[in-house]
Amino acid sequence: MIVLLMFGLALIVGAAQQRTVDALKAGAPTVKRWGGRILLTVGVWFIALGVFSSLFADVFPV
């Protein structure tokens, strides 16, 4: 009886893992899209800091 319970538990865990992996794979394009947007925003900010460094130096004296 214990063997059948353990076998059943193994099947249930395997199915749950597969559903979790499928859900993560389905959401991957959204995560990649948001990651790209954040990366572009940070890049534009760094470029702005470099281009207008004298202005930022006047506003934020160190």
Side-chain angles (χ1 to χ4, degrees):
M1 186 66 184
I2 293 292
V3 172
L4 291 176
L5 289 173
M6 292 303 286
F7 187 73
L9 181 64
L11 288 177
I12 291 171
V13 169
Q17 284 179 342
Q18 188 60 40
R19 277 185 269 151
T20 302
V21 168
D22 291 342
L24 289 173
K25 283 183 181 178
T30 304
V31 172
K32 287 181 180 180
R33 216 170 303 132
W34 276 102
R37 290 177 184 159
I38 291 170
L39 185 63
L40 284 173
T41 303
V42 170
V44 168
W45 175 250
F46 282 148
I47 290 171
L49 284 176
V51 170
F52 302 110
S53 60
S54 60
L55 175 69
F56 285 115
D58 293 338
V59 175
F60 304 111
V62 178

